[in-house]
Amino acid sequence: MTEPFAQARLVAPDFQIVHITVRDGYRPRTIVARAGVPLRLVFHRDEDAACSERVIFSSPRLDRHLAPHGATIVELPAQGPGEVRFTCAMGVYRGLIRLTEERTMRHPGGRGRRSQLRVGVGVAAAALVLLAAGLFSAAVPTLGAVSLLAGFVMVLLATSLAISACFFGAFPESH
Ligand SMILES: [Cu+2]
């Protein structure tokens, strides 16, 4: 079973909001929100069980009363990347807020970062080939021109491979 999960909605550059239903637990239990942006949580408590009367946050340390059969707003200040836990007073109901950097918000699958990694690997491979070609031509002077040419061809090939892999998604995980 996949865990219920929600992303806070960014309404303005400095304002994001998420709604949480409180009934036999928190729904969603896991919230992904932006680090560095204040977060408004709207708790909809659809019960009057004593268990869910209070909600306690790990960072900052907040303790709030939730109105039964109503909505209660809790404002969290802007915080750095990390996790904020919230529980009922007994620790029976548990929720988690993941504060992440903007980059991972825009690329939930981490695509942007992976493409950058691929370009980096391509460039590193090309540099390595060039270095090897240079060393080889220095060691064998008579073959210098030939090996240098071969080195440049390999650099071109490696670079174009890396670029095409990024742009055309040659790797299945890029989708
Ligand atoms: Cu409780």
Side-chain angles (χ1 to χ4, degrees):
M1 200 180 91
T2 54
E3 199 176 324
F5 157 103
Q7 193 160 303
R9 190 162 56 89
L10 192 72
V11 181
D14 58 350
F15 178 56
Q16 54 187 341
I17 185 166
V18 70
H19 293 265
I20 299 159
T21 301
V22 183
R23 191 187 175 90
D24 301 324
Y26 301 121
R27 243 174 317 141
R29 279 187 64 164
T30 305
I31 293 148
V32 175
R34 277 176 203 234
V37 177
L39 173 62
R40 174 177 293 179
L41 301 148
V42 186
F43 286 94
H44 300 269
R45 189 175 163 216
D46 293 341
E47 63 180 10
D48 49 20
C51 191
S52 58
E53 211 162 68
R54 306 203 75 84
V55 61
I56 295 157
F57 292 83
S58 64
S59 173
R61 295 243 169 229
L62 289 178
D63 184 336
R64 291 281 185 274
H65 178 265
L66 298 180
H69 302 290
T72 305
I73 291 171
V74 178
E75 309 271 7
L76 295 186
Q79 298 184 86
E83 290 186 346
V84 175
R85 291 180 181 280
F86 58 99
T87 67
C88 71
M90 310 82 169
V92 177
Y93 290 8
R94 289 165 182 276
L96 175 70
I97 302 162
R98 275 204 195 99
L99 298 171
T100 62
E101 303 274 21
E102 196 175 331
R103 184 189 294 275
T104 49
M105 295 289 288
R106 235 177 243 162
H107 303 280
R111 180 183 179 168
R113 202 166 277 175
R114 224 174 271 149
S115 299
Q116 280 171 8
L117 186 74
R118 248 179 261 138
V119 172
V121 168
V123 169
L128 215 67
V129 168
L130 190 66
L131 186 73
L135 284 174
F136 187 66
S137 64
V140 190
T142 50
L143 288 174
V146 177
S147 60
L148 209 62
L149 192 71
F152 276 124
V153 169
M154 284 166 86
V155 167
L156 274 173
L157 204 70
T159 311
S160 60
L161 265 175
I163 289 169
S164 63
C166 293
F167 280 91
F168 303 111
F171 295 93
E173 71 263 27
S174 69
H175 290 286

